Amino acid sequence: MPESLNIIDLITDASLLVQLVMALLLLASLLSWVIIFRLSARLGTAKRFDTQFETWFWSGEDLAKLYQGIQGSPDRQGLEQIFYVGFSEYLRMHKKRQPKDDIIDGVERKLRVGLGRQQQMLESGIPALASIGSVAPYIGLFGTVWGIMNAFLGLSQTEQATLASVAPGIAEALIATAMGLFAAIPAVLAYNHFTAKSSRLYESRALFCDEMTGMLQRETSTQSALLRETSIAQNKATGL
């Protein structure tokens, strides 16, 4: 590359506004990579913990014992926390001897709230990637337009217009566009990837909530039937 078009020199010789644009894009790129690494670790951990808890949940252990096993855990997350919230509501309403339909409705509401909160925590940072991916190219384009404008203004003040006199200014301007794309492309790719991954986790957790609601509904029906049989037996004994 000719010395006159050295990238470092073009950046250092750029106008103050273009340098500020480049610095902003560099910060945006660094921020997006920090978010990417954090989301990758968070989603991977969430998937692993959900798989472990589902294995435990479907092992056939009694739900009450499962609840007691995680009750003292201070770092509940994912499906573990969703189950804890839902089963806590089930026990609370069951102790008050609420009707079956009210118990199931209450559990479903709590499960939806727990699912929403866990998903909100899981997706923290994804909107920032969308913002960087959509805004960075325009910021770079702004720097490009400003740099080209300065190049042509400088060209108008020279006696002889040559390509060599305008090339540094245009090259300086195009670097801003390149940096905008450098910040935007990884952010957009990461946004699409993590959005799809978090959606799969959400669907898996939502399915778990439906299955748990069905289990509690069957358990409530069984307990209600036992209570009716006990009541009938007591009435018969009293009649005797």
Side-chain angles (χ1 to χ4, degrees), residues 188-204:
V188 171
L189 292 175
Y191 171 80
N192 293 333
H193 172 72
F194 291 129
T195 299
K197 196 170 183 179
S198 64
S199 296
R200 289 193 295 269
L201 274 173
Y202 179 85
E203 292 172 359
S204 176

Side-chain angles (χ1 to χ4, degrees), residues 221-237:
S221 299
T222 302
Q223 291 177 352
S224 299
L226 289 175
L227 288 175
R228 284 196 300 269
E229 292 176 1
T230 302
S231 178
I232 293 173
Q234 290 176 347
N235 291 334
K236 288 182 178 180

Side-chain angles (χ1 to χ4, degrees), residues 86-238:
F87 201 76
S88 296
E89 182 68 8
Y90 171 79
L91 292 177
R92 186 184 71 82
M93 299 190 71
H94 186 70
K95 287 180 180 178
K96 293 183 178 180
R97 296 187 178 276
Q98 297 290 328
K100 170 188 170 183
D101 292 339
D102 292 346
I103 293 176
I104 298 304
D105 289 342
V107 170
E108 287 180 341
R109 286 194 299 270
K110 283 295 185 178
L111 287 174
R112 285 195 299 268
V113 171
L115 176 62
R117 288 178 177 173
Q118 289 299 310
Q119 199 67 18
Q120 186 178 19
M121 294 171 57
L122 188 68
E123 296 177 354
S124 175
I126 292 181
L129 289 177
S131 299
I132 293 173
S134 60
V135 173
Y138 294 102
I139 296 176
L141 182 60
F142 170 75
T144 297
V145 171
W146 187 269
I148 292 177
M149 183 179 66
N150 284 339
F152 280 106
L153 287 176
L155 184 63
S156 66
Q157 298 174 1
T158 60
E159 296 180 356
Q160 185 177 2
T162 62
L163 181 61
S165 61
V166 75
I170 295 178
E172 161 198 316
L174 293 176
I175 290 176
T177 297
M179 292 187 67
L181 295 175
F182 178 77
I185 292 174
V188 171
L189 292 175
Y191 171 80
N192 293 333
H193 172 72
F194 291 129
T195 299
K197 196 170 183 179
S198 64
S199 296
R200 289 193 295 269
L201 274 173
Y202 179 85
E203 292 172 359
S204 176
R205 290 174 173 181
L207 181 61
F208 171 84
C209 291
D210 292 339
E211 292 171 338
M212 179 178 169
T213 302
M215 291 180 65
L216 294 179
Q217 190 171 14
R218 290 191 297 271
E219 185 169 335
T220 304
S221 299
T222 302
Q223 291 177 352
S224 299
L226 289 175
L227 288 175
R228 284 196 300 269
E229 292 176 1
T230 302
S231 178
I232 293 173
Q234 290 176 347
N235 291 334
K236 288 182 178 180
T238 304

